[in-house]
């Protein structure tokens, strides 16, 4: 297994039905919850003892997505007071861990009051504020220190959060000062270390090496600073989705096979993942109805209903997003249907900017006005990272194709 199989016919059937009652050019997100359930179950089921899967809800925090994942993940990773309130409104009990830069006092206090299991602290100042809030409440704050360190042999990806100067985490050279400070502050309970140095990791072997380096580093710190009380290491998320070469996805099966060998390095600590993109990207599809097909100089453009204000992923990551054309037979006008055959075409949206481009110069057998273009891998960092209200176009529909009966009650 390298990635979930996309269930195109399931999604296409739904979209054809949606077109029938659209009334206006269709734009829609379709989420295949059964595919999400099966994928997450495979990932969670492949982890050896001592490893836990948290879902980073920033990737997609829609309620049906969270409801599908809650029974399969050990818990959710949140990164704001808004995410904390949203999760606690709907899931009173699910274990939560709180990461992210620039946490406000209100967010830190909320985490203490709403039973967050661990806060991933980003600086000494954040530690000081948290200790002060914990003291005020007569409580103890469970903490992992997020560390930014340059590891030997760290293989860079296209999105690095650490291993170089970034605003994330505590730089390795400041760690001793934090550990010294912690000795005098029993209102903070140090539970372990947190690393999230990168996103877009596509190489399973490189990721195993990275985890190995994290665990060895934690072993050295434990010995050097006498940290016997630790119980976990959070190794972040960062497992990527290959948008550019979709047939070459991260090889999760190979990765999972390598985890038991890492167990010797765990020294009894629980290893937590907090993955976002790799969990939900595959279940989502963004569909646009083509409004016009036109030529300018030597290029063809399919102008479709929607755009980067709905689906910013390709622009955010700087890629041309893969898509399929779903032919639609009906044509409502008494004049010719614009289109191209066996040609290269760029798929653009309705925004008044040349940056509103989702796919660039991609080969199609055929695309005509009235057809649907459908972008897969749109379940993570898609709707949730987009600038929805630019130009005040209507928002797309959001359709959730349910978990199938055999699993619905689980
Ligand atoms: C601290 C932290 N953990 C986890 C994630 C999830 O990363 P990904 O979606 O790449 O798995 C992010 C994403 O930015 C993050 O900042």
């Amino acid at each position: 297994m390298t990635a979930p199989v996309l269930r195109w016919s399931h999604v296409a059937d739904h979209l054809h039905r949606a077109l029938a009652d659209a009334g206006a050019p269709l734009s829609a997100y379709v989420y295949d919850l059964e595919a999400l359930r099966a994928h997450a179950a495979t990932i969670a089921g492949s982890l050896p003892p001592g490893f836990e899967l948290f879902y980073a809800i920033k990737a997609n925090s829609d309620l049906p997505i969270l409801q599908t994942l809650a029974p399969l993940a050990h818990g959710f990773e949140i990164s704001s007071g808004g995410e904390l309130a949203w999760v606690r409104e709907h899931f009173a009990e699910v274990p939560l861990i709180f990461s992210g830069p620039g946490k406000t006092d209100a967010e830190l206090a909320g985490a203490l009051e709403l039973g967050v299991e661990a806060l991933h602290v980003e600086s000494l100042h954040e530690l000081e504020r948290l200790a002060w809030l914990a003291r005020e409440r007569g409580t103890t704050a469970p903490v992992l220190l997020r560390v930014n360190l340059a590891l030997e042999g760290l293989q860079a990806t296209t999105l690095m959060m650490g291993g170089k100067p970034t605003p994330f985490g505590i730089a390795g050279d400041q760690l001793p000062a934090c550990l010294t400070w912690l000795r005098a502050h029993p209102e903070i309970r140090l539970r372990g270390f947190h690393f999230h140095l990168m996103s877009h990791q596509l190489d399973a072997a490189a990721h195993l090496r990275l985890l190995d380096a994290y665990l060895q580093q934690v072993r050295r710190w434990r010995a050097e600073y006498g940290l016997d009380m630790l119980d976990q290491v959070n190794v972040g998320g960062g497992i990527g989705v290959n948008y550019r070469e979709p047939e070459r996805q991260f090889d999760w099966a190979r990765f999972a096979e390598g985890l038991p060998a890492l167990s010797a390095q765990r020294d009894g600590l629980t290893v937590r993942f907090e993955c976002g993109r790799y969990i939900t990207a595959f279940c989502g599809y963004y569909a646009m109805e083509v409004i016009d097909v036109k030529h300018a100089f030597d290029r063809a453009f399919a102008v479709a209903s929607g755009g980067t204000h709905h689906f910013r992923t390709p622009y955010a990551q700087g890629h041309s997003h893969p898509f399929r054309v779903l032919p639609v037979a009906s044509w409502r006008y008494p004049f010719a249907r614009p289109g191209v055959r066996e040609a290269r075409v760029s798929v653009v949206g309705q925004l008044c900017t040349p940056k509103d481009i989702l796919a660039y110069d991609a080969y199609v057998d055929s695309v005509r006005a009235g057809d649907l273009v459908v972008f897969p891998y749109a379940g993570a960092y898609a709707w949730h990272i987009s600038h929805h209200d630019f130009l005040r176009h209507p928002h797309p529909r959001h359709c959730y194709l349910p978990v199938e009966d055999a699993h619905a009650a689980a």
Side-chain angles (χ1 to χ4, degrees):
M1 187 248 337
T2 56
V5 175
L6 301 182
R7 303 200 304 165
W8 277 105
S9 61
H10 192 53
V11 172
D13 286 352
H14 176 82
L15 283 169
H16 282 300
R17 281 197 302 277
L19 259 186
D21 68 15
L26 181 72
S27 42
Y29 271 97
V30 180
Y31 300 101
D32 181 351
L33 296 181
E34 174 57 25
L36 173 64
R37 185 208 60 75
H39 179 51
T42 303
I43 295 171
S46 69
L47 296 180
F51 289 79
E52 295 182 349
L53 176 69
F54 277 63
Y55 169 57
I57 77 163
K58 60 173 79 65
N60 186 330
S61 55
D62 289 1
L63 194 53
I65 300 280
L66 298 185
Q67 285 165 333
T68 305
L69 293 175
L72 299 166
H74 281 91
F76 294 149
E77 185 253 10
I78 52 166
S79 290
S80 73
E83 288 189 346
L84 172 60
W86 175 243
V87 173
R88 274 293 172 254
E89 184 185 338
H90 299 286
F91 306 87
E93 303 294 337
V94 80
L96 295 181
I97 51 181
F98 195 162
S99 310
K103 298 182 201 72
T104 64
D105 287 357
E107 289 174 323
L108 295 172
L112 293 175
E113 285 154 17
L114 293 173
V116 165
E117 228 191 58
L119 284 121
H120 301 167
V121 170
E122 299 259 339
S123 70
L124 181 56
H125 179 56
E126 192 170 275
L127 265 183
E128 288 176 321
R129 287 191 294 123
L130 182 61
W132 176 68
L133 291 162
R135 260 195 317 276
E136 260 183 3
R137 285 163 180 73
T139 187
T140 306
V143 154
L144 268 60
L145 297 181
R146 179 177 183 180
V147 189
N148 175 6
L149 75 174
L151 289 165
E152 208 176 308
L154 175 67
Q155 195 174 306
T157 64
T158 52
L159 195 60
M160 297 298 291
M161 277 79 172
K164 62 178 193 177
T166 69
F168 307 115
I170 298 165
D173 60 350
Q174 293 159 27
L175 188 61
C178 290
L179 293 172
T180 305
W181 181 91
L182 278 174
R183 271 188 225 115
H185 289 85
E187 61 276 34
I188 302 281
R189 179 163 74 94
L190 181 64
R191 296 189 58 185
F193 292 99
H194 172 260
F195 305 92
H196 178 74
L197 294 188
M198 64 175 61
S199 279
H200 295 309
Q201 174 65 272
L202 293 172
D203 181 336
H207 211 55
L208 285 167
R209 284 196 299 276
L210 182 66
L211 265 51
D212 187 52
Y214 290 160
L215 295 178
Q216 290 196 40
Q217 180 62 68
V218 170
R219 177 180 284 176
R220 286 194 292 273
W221 284 331
R222 287 180 90 186
E224 195 173 340
Y225 299 104
L227 304 172
D228 298 331
M229 68 300 217
L230 305 191
D231 64 13
Q232 58 173 282
V233 181
N234 186 310
V235 294
I239 293 171
V241 170
N242 197 339
Y243 303 104
R244 292 179 170 83
E245 296 175 277
E247 63 294 344
R248 296 182 57 205
Q249 296 295 347
F250 183 90
D251 190 344
W252 183 275
R254 181 168 173 216
F255 178 65
E257 270 168 29
L259 292 178
L262 282 183
S263 263
Q265 318 274 36
R266 282 198 300 117
D267 298 332
L269 303 179
T270 298
V271 176
R272 278 189 174 165
F273 293 99
E274 48 180 31
C275 297
R277 189 182 307 273
Y278 190 71
I279 308 284
T280 44
F282 299 99
C283 78
Y285 301 76
Y286 174 59
M288 311 160 90
E289 185 172 331
V290 178
I291 295 170
D292 202 351
V293 179
K294 52 194 286 197
H295 289 84
F297 301 90
D298 59 348
R299 290 276 161 80
F301 294 89
V303 184
S305 66
T308 52
H309 56 308
H310 295 171
F311 182 47
R312 199 169 155 267
T313 316
Y315 185 72
Q317 302 306 332
H319 64 251
S320 175
H321 207 91
F323 67 92
R324 270 197 190 182
V325 178
L326 295 188
V328 174
S330 62
W331 174 245
R332 64 173 79 103
Y333 302 105
F335 37 82
R337 191 171 181 177
V340 292
R341 293 183 68 78
E342 296 176 0
R344 291 197 168 270
V345 69
S346 294
V347 181
V348 302
Q350 296 169 282
L351 303 184
C352 314
T353 161
K355 295 181 177 177
D356 188 23
I357 179 158
L358 285 75
Y360 183 78
D361 234 6
Y363 177 83
V364 291
D365 290 334
S366 161
V367 62
R368 303 162 300 178
D371 288 339
L372 290 174
V373 284
V374 185
F375 297 86
Y377 316 117
Y381 304 107
W383 172 248
H384 291 266
I385 61 157
S386 302
H387 45 296
H388 306 153
D389 291 324
F390 183 43
L391 292 197
R392 294 193 179 277
H393 282 297
H395 290 183
R397 296 180 184 201
H398 293 266
C399 318
Y400 304 91
L401 309 185
V403 165
E404 285 163 9
D405 283 349
H407 300 104

